[in-house]
Each structure stands twice: as structure tokens, then as C-alpha cells.
Amino acid sequence: MPNLLTLDDLSPADITQILEKAAYYKTNILALHQKAHHLQNRVVANLFFETSTRTLNSFILAEQTQAMTVLTPDLAQSALQKGESIIDTLKTFEAMGVAAFVIRSKDEQLLHLLTEMPFKAHFINAGIGCRAHPTQALIDLSVILKHFADLKGLRIAIVGDVKHSRVAQSQIKLFNKMGMTDIRLIAPESLHLENSKDMIYESYTDIDQGLKGVDIIIRLRLQKERLPQTLALDYDQFKQNFLITKQKLALAKPNALLMHPGPCMVDEDIEAALMSHPQNVILEQVSHSVAVRMACLDYVFNSL
Ligand code: CP
């Protein structure tokens, strides 16, 4: 049964199909306030063990637009609080008829557990640990495709806390799969990736050098909830050096896109003056999220 847990689950052909279907949904279903009925009454459960605004609510909208039956249990009120394991919770929901789970959790072990256990239900990763947030990366690529016809020649800068960002790791894998290899990770030494031989990118600590001539800047927030106590980072220096300002944006190509998966810390990640700048496409990213997540549901249900 197909799952969408990491980018490893997707071939370039799958990615193209998901993005084409998302474009169809955006224009022919969502823009016309219609519903798609081929997954009607399939039961999906959104299990969010961490907070979320964009991912949770866009999945709910995607599921409702697919006419699915949607469960979004309040996990603070579930038997997990009495000591039931996550696996037993999933088996319980599956026994009620849940055919797909959308899961967010800080527990990276879940990625292995979910593939090893004999579930019939499908799983979609809505952000697990530091490693993977594949549907966010697909949304970001969907926006990039709106602005650039030729992906292969693009020069992309990913700036900020690359090391603890599940979005960054999924983006790099997705971009590489689609032939995009000119990727610059820009961060202080202590926030760079380690042990990442399966990804193609270049590391920069000098932001001015890294941003020179790029087509796309993707700024990431500091993942404060996932930082180890031992992290060697001068926070004030980091904020001062890695804030995207008008001057920093001017180092990129004239019409470069300024992206952020959100939530964006204004005046920490990107200066306030750039939040309504014409090159800022952060809300455009959000506007692609429902359609892309509808197509991700189709992928796991083999209905692309
Ligand atoms: N980009 C993202 O995952 O945002 P949320 O935490 O609001 O879902």
C-alpha cells in the first residue's frame, strides 16, 4: 500500500503526476468551489502530536474537498494519555475503518515503525522529527514551477537552521530528484547538515557570498523546539547575520523569489519591510497547499 513518509517513496514520475494533479485541482475544483468525489466517504484521521496551522488545516480542507470522512481527534483527550501506545492507537482507529493517517510528530522512530508494522491503512507524513516534511517540499516545488519553466538551471539558496529543518531535508531530496543540483545551504557552522552524502548541495557560512545570483531564496526559521541544549550558537549574531533584508535580497537575481515554509518569524527570519514585497511568495506557497495535499491523498489511494 503506498505511503508518503519521505521523498524516498516518490519517483520523479510520481512527483510530476502529483504536481500536475494539484494544478488541475487548483484550477478546476478549488477555484470553482467544487468537490472531487472519487475518495468519497473514505475515512482519514489527522493525528497531530505537535502544533500546526498550515499543514493541519490545509489537510482538513483537502480531505473535505475530496468528500472524505475526516477525524481530527484531540489527542490530549485520547487514551494515549492513559498510556496506550501510538501503535495501538493506530490499530484502534484502523479497526474503526480509518483508511489513511496524516501524522505529525517529533518522534523520528515513527518513520521506521510505520513501514515495519503490517497496517492496511496508508500513512502521510505531515512533518516528523528533523528529517522529513515531504508535502511541504511538494508545495514549494509547485510554486517554483509557476514561476520558472526550466527547473534544472535554477540556483537555490536555503538559509537558516538547515540542520534541524525537516522541510530543508525534504526540499533538497525533492530538488535533487527533479535534476536541481545548484543548491546552496547558508547557515553558521553549527546549523549545517551532517552525514548527508545522499544529497547534492554546497555549504556556505558567508550569507553574502551564498546569495549572489540565486533565483530563489528559501529562509527557514530556527527550530527552537528541536535545538539541543549543547548547541554552540550566538543567537544575536545569528539573527543579525542571517536576517533577510532588502540589501540581502538585492544580492540575488532581480526577480528572485523569496520563500518561507512558515511560520515566518518577522524581523528574525525576514525583515518586516519584505513581508509585502512583490518578490515575497510566502502566501502563494500557502495558496498551493490544499491542492497539493489533495493530490498527495490521491497518490496514497492510487487514484492520481
Ligand atoms: N510549514 C508548516 O509545516 O507549517 P505549520 O507548522 O503551521 O503546519
Side-chain angles (χ1 to χ4, degrees):
M1 301 288 268
N3 291 324
L4 182 33
L5 288 171
T6 72
L7 257 302
D8 298 332
D9 292 325
L10 299 178
S11 67
D14 294 329
I15 293 162
T16 302
Q17 257 190 304
I18 288 172
L19 296 179
E20 283 175 1
K21 190 70 179 280
Y24 167 83
Y25 279 141
K26 199 166 186 309
T27 310
N28 296 294
I29 299 289
L30 293 165
L32 305 178
H33 309 290
Q34 298 294 310
K35 287 202 179 202
H37 290 277
H38 54 284
L39 297 180
Q40 185 160 0
N41 298 333
R42 303 296 290 267
V43 187
V44 59
N46 302 301
L47 302 187
F48 277 61
F49 296 90
E50 279 185 7
T51 57
S52 167
T53 296
R54 292 152 198 78
T55 312
L56 173 59
N57 292 293
S58 59
F59 262 115
I60 292 173
L61 287 172
E63 293 151 1
Q64 289 176 341
T65 308
Q66 302 269 54
M68 300 179 83
T69 298
V70 181
L71 287 181
T72 308
D74 177 358
L75 297 176
Q77 297 297 323
S78 78
L80 285 159
Q81 305 307 322
K82 297 175 183 161
E84 186 169 63
S85 71
I86 291 182
I87 295 299
D88 285 339
T89 300
L90 295 171
K91 284 181 183 164
T92 303
F93 278 121
E94 196 179 54
M96 290 178 202
V98 170
F101 292 97
V102 176
I103 299 192
R104 168 167 290 196
S105 169
K106 65 176 187 311
D107 181 5
E108 263 170 46
Q109 293 307 315
L110 260 187
L111 287 174
H112 304 293
L113 273 178
L114 297 179
T115 46
E116 282 164 12
M117 300 291 294
F119 286 103
K120 286 204 189 83
H122 309 284
F123 291 98
I124 299 180
N125 175 350
I128 295 183
C130 287
R131 284 214 13 236
H133 194 352
T135 64
Q136 179 66 51
L138 287 163
I139 289 164
D140 301 339
L141 185 58
S142 157
V143 173
I144 291 170
L145 274 167
K146 272 274 176 206
H147 291 265
F148 297 100
D150 178 20
L151 292 180
K152 287 198 172 80
L154 292 178
R155 182 174 291 167
I156 303 175
I158 302 179
V159 185
D161 183 6
V162 179
K163 183 173 185 164
H164 306 100
S165 168
R166 51 199 177 201
V167 176
Q169 300 198 37
S170 286
Q171 283 172 336
I172 300 163
K173 286 192 174 168
L174 177 61
F175 296 160
N176 285 175
K177 273 195 188 218
M178 301 311 282
M180 301 149 81
T181 53
D182 195 345
I183 298 172
R184 302 169 169 203
L185 305 187
I186 307 173
E189 206 67 65
S190 62
L191 295 179
H192 268 293
L193 283 180
E194 291 162 9
N195 303 326
S196 46
K197 292 194 185 76
D198 58 336
M199 295 184 254
I200 303 168
Y201 62 82
E202 271 188 273
S203 297
Y204 289 76
T205 49
D206 181 331
I207 185 167
D208 289 0
Q209 203 185 334
L211 290 180
K212 242 177 241 167
V214 300
D215 298 283
I216 297 165
I217 300 172
I218 302 173
R219 181 61 161 91
L220 305 168
R221 76 185 168 92
L222 195 59
Q223 307 288 306
K224 288 177 184 154
E225 67 279 23
R226 292 197 273 281
L227 297 183
Q229 302 271 331
T230 52
L231 182 73
L233 183 70
D234 180 331
Y235 289 89
D236 290 336
Q237 192 85 54
F238 171 66
K239 201 173 131 184
Q240 196 180 320
N241 290 351
F242 291 85
L243 176 71
I244 305 296
T245 59
K246 277 190 176 170
Q247 291 73 24
K248 299 287 185 221
L249 183 61
L251 296 168
K253 286 191 185 156
N255 290 317
L257 300 184
L258 177 56
M259 305 180 77
H260 194 306
C264 177
M265 302 298 115
V266 177
D267 282 335
E268 278 187 35
D269 303 343
I270 295 174
E271 72 174 357
L274 288 180
M275 291 310 286
S276 52
H277 192 277
Q279 286 167 253
N280 179 328
V281 293
I282 296 173
L283 288 177
E284 190 179 334
Q285 290 170 259
V286 179
S287 77
H288 283 234
S289 60
V290 178
V292 170
R293 288 179 167 132
M294 287 173 72
C296 291
L297 287 159
D298 280 344
Y299 170 76
V300 296
F301 280 106
N302 276 327
S303 58
L304 270 174

